[in-house]
């Protein structure tokens, strides 16, 4: 691995599900730097999940190349990719028949870690995501709240100490307070562990608060890429500046409603 390689590079990547008549992902080229936190925003069906799934080879591109830490993804085995990447699936996706501990231990087990090393890692991760191990290790996913399951999903994704974490709407189903604390906790973790994170979200404010750079997808293409500040400053012919400014407009409406009460 060359130290100057991006963590992930897309080079002219296209993916079709109907033999090239329409492209779910169309000619994407993009470098994601080591240590970067990238958020992908875009309407339903714009190709976000397809893009993410090509990074860990749940899907392979029809055309173009994806490089992972300088290596061609199509030449890496799924085993190799799993060592490098964690994946938090849209809708959590815990294994329902496995305990919380077994869920978190899934990849380390697959990679042949020693039993006591796995047990220590599971306990450490549960602490990290704010679930007391003594209470949660033996529970089944069906007995957890949505927010607790999402925490387990994150713990499972980083269990094997990946360099890269892929997250598909990881905080979607959480109440606002849990969401706020978990998103902060995750960003700290990203920085502390030196991770490269690619996160899909529908929430513009969450993307602005968490990510170093944002990608806006539309109809399988990258409509815009940049830091939140760069995108917010764009002239608005394509709607990007407007989209990025939405949280600020909402905040000022909230401020107005709270400060100016005609019945107060
Ligand atoms: N396995 C598949 N077979 C056929 N079409 C697919 C498949 N997966 C995705 N598509 C199509 O590709 C397009 C992009 O889908 P994708 O799941 O990437 O969208 P998305 O941006 O993640 O949307 P959402 O925000 O709703 O999750 C959609 O039109 C979808 O119907
Ligand atoms: Mg999706």
């Amino acid at each position: 691995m060359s130290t100057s390689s991006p963590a992930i590079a897309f080079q002219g990547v296209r993916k079709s599900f109907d033999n090239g008549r329409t492209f779910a992902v169309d000619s994407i080229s993009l470098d994601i730097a080591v240590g970067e936190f990238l958020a992908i925003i875009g309407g339903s069906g714009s190709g976000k999940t397809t893009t993410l799934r090509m990074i860990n080879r749940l899907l392979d591109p029809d055309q173009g190349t994806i490089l992972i830490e300088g290596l061609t993804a199509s030449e890496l085995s799924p085993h190799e990719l799993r060592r490098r990447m964690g994946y938090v699936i849209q809708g959590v996706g815990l294994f329902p028949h496995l305990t919380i501990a077994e869920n978190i231990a899934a990849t380390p087990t697959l990679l042949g870690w020693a039993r006591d090393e796995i047990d220590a890692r599971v306990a450490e991760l549960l602490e990290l995501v704010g679930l007391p191990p003594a209470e949660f290790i033996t529970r089944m996913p069906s007995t957890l709240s949505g927010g607790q399951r999402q925490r387990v999903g994150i713990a499972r994704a980083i269990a094997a100490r990946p360099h890269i974490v892929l997250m598909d709407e990881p905080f979607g189903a959480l109440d606002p307070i849990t969401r706020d604390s978990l998103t902060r906790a995750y960003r700290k973790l990203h920085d502390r562990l030196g991770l490269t994170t690619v996160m899909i979200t529908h929430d513009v404010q969450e993307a602005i608060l968490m990510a170093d750079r944002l990608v806006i997808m539309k109809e399988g293409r990258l409509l815009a890429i940049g830091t939140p500040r760069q995108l917010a400053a764009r002239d608005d012919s394509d709607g990007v500046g407007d989209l990025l400014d939405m949280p600020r407009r909402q905040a000022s409406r909230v401020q107005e409603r709270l400060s100016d009460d005609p019945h107060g």
Side-chain angles (χ1 to χ4, degrees):
M1 172 184 135
S2 147
T3 49
S4 60
S5 300
I8 304 164
F10 285 84
Q11 301 176 340
V13 171
R14 307 181 85 185
K15 178 69 185 175
S16 165
F17 293 105
D18 54 6
N19 294 315
R21 265 176 302 166
T22 54
F23 285 92
V25 168
D26 198 355
S27 309
I28 286 189
S29 295
L30 169 70
D31 282 358
I32 304 170
V34 172
E36 181 167 17
F37 193 128
L38 185 87
I40 304 179
I41 317 176
S44 195
S46 59
K48 304 182 297 297
T49 298
T50 304
T51 300
L52 206 68
R53 289 165 69 90
M54 286 191 286
I55 298 173
N56 65 359
R57 294 201 63 201
L58 285 170
L59 291 170
D60 282 323
D62 298 341
Q63 293 172 38
T65 306
I66 295 173
L67 302 173
I68 305 299
E69 298 174 332
L71 304 172
T72 309
S74 60
E75 291 168 6
L76 294 169
S77 68
H79 176 87
E80 189 70 22
L81 282 168
R82 273 192 209 112
R83 262 192 15 207
R84 292 163 195 267
M85 282 180 222
Y87 185 35
V88 184
I89 308 166
Q90 196 167 12
V92 187
L94 298 180
F95 305 117
H97 55 289
L98 299 182
T99 65
I100 297 313
E102 288 164 345
N103 264 282
I104 295 173
T107 303
T109 303
L110 209 72
L111 295 173
W113 289 23
R115 187 71 258 163
D116 54 350
E117 201 186 347
I118 292 179
D119 291 345
R121 183 70 177 148
V122 167
E124 177 191 27
L125 285 163
L126 282 170
E127 293 282 3
L128 199 68
V129 298
L131 300 173
E135 189 184 333
F136 283 93
I137 274 175
T138 57
R139 300 229 337 232
M140 301 304 286
S142 61
T143 71
L144 267 55
S145 75
Q148 291 167 338
R149 273 182 229 161
Q150 232 141 356
R151 286 161 195 257
V152 175
I154 290 168
R156 184 178 61 176
I158 60 173
R161 300 194 179 87
H163 301 172
I164 297 172
V165 178
L166 311 175
M167 307 204 287
D168 200 340
E169 297 192 47
F171 308 113
L174 300 177
D175 72 84
I177 293 181
T178 308
R179 188 168 180 151
D180 186 55
S181 73
L182 197 55
T183 51
R184 284 167 196 258
Y186 181 79
R187 176 68 219 216
K188 274 202 199 121
L189 208 66
H190 165 97
D191 292 334
R192 181 148 65 83
L193 303 180
L195 299 171
T196 302
T197 300
V198 184
M199 177 184 79
I200 296 173
T201 178
H202 278 123
D203 188 325
V204 178
Q205 176 164 313
E206 182 171 281
I208 292 172
L209 288 173
M210 289 185 82
D212 301 314
R213 280 197 305 166
L214 316 185
V215 162
I216 318 286
M217 286 193 74
K218 188 177 182 186
E219 293 165 7
R221 293 173 177 268
L222 306 186
L223 182 63
I225 310 169
T227 65
R229 197 170 295 188
Q230 286 167 344
L231 294 188
R234 274 165 72 111
D235 79 66
D236 212 36
S237 54
D238 55 10
V240 170
D242 205 38
L243 181 71
L244 269 284
D245 196 49
M246 190 174 59
R248 190 154 49 187
R249 290 196 306 274
Q250 285 175 335
S252 84
R253 288 214 309 277
V254 167
Q255 182 61 30
E256 244 170 68
R257 302 268 306 165
L258 293 180
S259 63
D260 183 23
D261 190 346
H263 308 290

